Amino acid sequence: MSRVALVTGGTRGIGEAICTALNDAGYKVIANYGGNDEAAKAFTEKTGITSLKFDVSDFEKTKDAIEHIEADYGPIDVLVNNAGITRDGTMHRMSFEQWNAVIQTNLSSCFNTCRAVIDGMRERKFGRIVNVGSINGQAGQYGQVNYAAAKSGIHGFTKALAQEGAAKGVTVNAIAPGYVDTEMVRAVPPEVLEKIVAKIPVGRLGNTNDIARTVLFLVDDTAEFITGSTISVNGGQHMY
């Protein structure tokens, strides 16, 4: 039987590439999304992958959704926490709402999803959790104290949970992407993007498949000796 994989923020960008790669590798994939119904519909029509709308920043809604997923498709053995938003602004202009939205969606969501699956993974003595951090959680970024804090928190969360799961066959790792060619990055003004690319030693933006391939490596059944790691996929921009 195929292992069931849940990918949050799974219908666009990096999440879409992760879902497609897992699906092609034989996993039964469920893609979570938060709000863009049109994009989710197009994603499912194109890939045949089930998309399910629920708010990962809400503990009870996440718990209920995961219970329904497991009832319908079987236990979740692979969890990829990819959901994320930005609400950029310098500290002296940032509202609490901007801060809180990013912390809840990007960081608290990892607790919400992991808490819902961890007991089952421990009982079955198998689990693969991959949390998507960011280069900006490692190096910081002007105007992103909320985003950098959340992504940095993911890296610490990963290391702590990895220690708890190791003896039970549950690995927990993080990926820290650099600047990847997605809608979010394409919205950056061209002159700014040019400066960013100039700082990347390999000379290009990442692509979504660079991240998806790393996820496939980490969630494989044979990747049992890799846990608590943060793998930087950034073209050498920040060596951490």
Side-chain angles (χ1 to χ4, degrees), residues 46-98:
K46 180 172 70 173
T47 65
I49 297 170
T50 299
S51 56
L52 186 61
K53 184 178 183 178
F54 61 92
D55 181 2
V56 290
S57 73
D58 185 302
F59 179 80
E60 291 298 332
K61 289 178 180 178
T62 300
K63 178 175 176 288
D64 290 345
I66 287 177
E67 285 177 354
H68 282 105
I69 290 169
E70 295 199 320
D72 291 342
Y73 299 101
I76 293 170
D77 283 325
V78 173
L79 169 64
V80 182
N81 283 308
N82 172 68
I85 61 171
T86 57
R87 298 288 186 271
D88 294 349
T90 52
M91 173 63 81
H92 66 285
R93 296 181 183 276
M94 183 175 291
S95 67
F96 174 75
E97 288 73 23
Q98 288 173 300

Side-chain angles (χ1 to χ4, degrees), residues 101-112:
V102 170
I103 295 298
Q104 296 305 317
T105 299
N106 297 19
L107 179 57
S108 294
S109 63
C110 292
F111 172 82
N112 297 340

Side-chain angles (χ1 to χ4, degrees), residues 89-221:
T90 52
M91 173 63 81
H92 66 285
R93 296 181 183 276
M94 183 175 291
S95 67
F96 174 75
E97 288 73 23
Q98 288 173 300
W99 167 267
N100 197 49
V102 170
I103 295 298
Q104 296 305 317
T105 299
N106 297 19
L107 179 57
S108 294
S109 63
C110 292
F111 172 82
N112 297 340
T113 56
C114 287
R115 185 64 189 88
V117 302
I118 196 67
D119 288 347
M121 288 181 174
R122 288 170 61 89
E123 288 169 7
R124 296 187 301 275
K125 298 189 182 302
F126 181 89
R128 298 286 184 266
I129 298 172
V130 178
N131 302 314
V132 179
S134 170
I135 187 174
N136 291 344
Q138 297 173 316
Q141 180 59 267
Y142 184 93
Q144 286 196 325
V145 293
N146 48 6
Y147 186 83
K151 292 300 189 177
S152 181
I154 284 174
H155 299 155
F157 175 96
T158 295
K159 294 177 187 300
L161 185 56
Q163 294 179 48
E164 296 180 15
K168 297 293 185 180
V170 181
T171 67
V172 189
N173 293 287
I175 297 173
Y179 286 84
V180 176
D181 188 12
T182 61
E183 287 180 28
M184 185 186 300
V185 171
R186 286 193 292 272
V188 173
E191 64 276 11
V192 176
L193 196 57
E194 185 178 339
K195 292 178 181 178
I196 290 171
V197 173
K199 294 179 181 179
I200 301 174
V202 302
R204 66 168 176 87
L205 295 173
N207 62 63
T208 56
N209 288 328
D210 292 325
I211 313 304
R213 282 191 293 270
T214 311
V215 171
L216 280 181
F217 169 69
L218 290 172
V219 303
D220 193 88
D221 279 19

Side-chain angles (χ1 to χ4, degrees), residues 226-239:
I226 305 169
T227 195
S229 294
T230 296
I231 299 180
S232 296
V233 187
N234 61 33
Q237 184 178 359
H238 181 66
M239 300 183 186

